[in-house]
Amino acid sequence: MARVVIVEDDDTIGDRLTAMLRAQGYESEWCPDGAAALARAAREPAELVLLDLGLPDVDGFELCRRLRERLPGAVLVVLTARTGEMDVVEALESGADDYLTKPFRLAELQARIAAHLRRASPGGRGAGDAVRIRHGALLIDLAARRCLTPVGEVELRPKEFDLLARLAASVGQAVSREDLMSDVWDENWFGATKTLDVHVAALRRKLGERVRITTLRHFGYRLEPPPGH
Ligand code: CA
């Protein structure tokens, strides 16, 4: 049974989350502050942590970092009333795997928890696999499927995101059109298609100077390393 730890100082939210998680068949434990959360983390592992960033006794980002160290295998989902994208980036850089902005729907939280635990379970994606790719000023968050910059999120369509993630996974390397089509569109590539080029053009337009995607004639594309790398 998956162990879910709730770190939340609001009694009403804590009660509701505990009831919801138990009803879903998880073992859930509620910690009302940072000290209780750290004590819990030292006692035994957990599969998932729901962490409210606004706690009375400790800075949420700092707690996030310390929980990340103590529970390296756990999925950390941050719950925040803060909506600034800088906070989102800082939370992800502090070790969070995902985040939800308050107020959120319980159904949305349930779906995210189920998806994370499925991925983290044996047969799913291992906890050691990268869930975020840092590319210069971009933070490509594979778990949340978001592309973040210090000045805000860049809205990408699903295939644009997949294409960026695929190129970023092979940064500095030439990737053939065939590989991009089969990895991103999940289909074999026969002859000319404009789909790939249209999506590359969209990435260049939306991301501007943050990415440099070189066209390799009669071959494919290459995402150049960010400046300074
Ligand atoms: Ca709070």
Side-chain angles (χ1 to χ4, degrees), residues 8-10 52 54-55 102:
E8 167 64 75
D9 61 314
D10 183 305
D52 173 30
L55 293 168
K102 292 178 177 180

Side-chain angles (χ1 to χ4, degrees), residues 3 12 20 68 72 83 91 93-94 100 103 116 139 149 159 169 179 186 198 209 224-225:
R3 292 159 292 188
T12 310
M20 182 271 279
R68 177 79 289 161
T83 53
E93 289 187 333
S94 301
L100 274 178
H116 282 301
L139 189 65
T149 79
K159 290 300 181 191
D179 283 352
D186 207 17
V198 167
E209 312 242 303
E224 304 297 349

Side-chain angles (χ1 to χ4, degrees), residues 7-25:
V7 188
E8 167 64 75
D9 61 314
D10 183 305
D11 290 354
T12 310
I13 298 175
D15 278 340
R16 283 181 67 199
L17 291 180
T18 302
M20 182 271 279
L21 289 164
R22 293 198 173 145
Q24 300 283 306

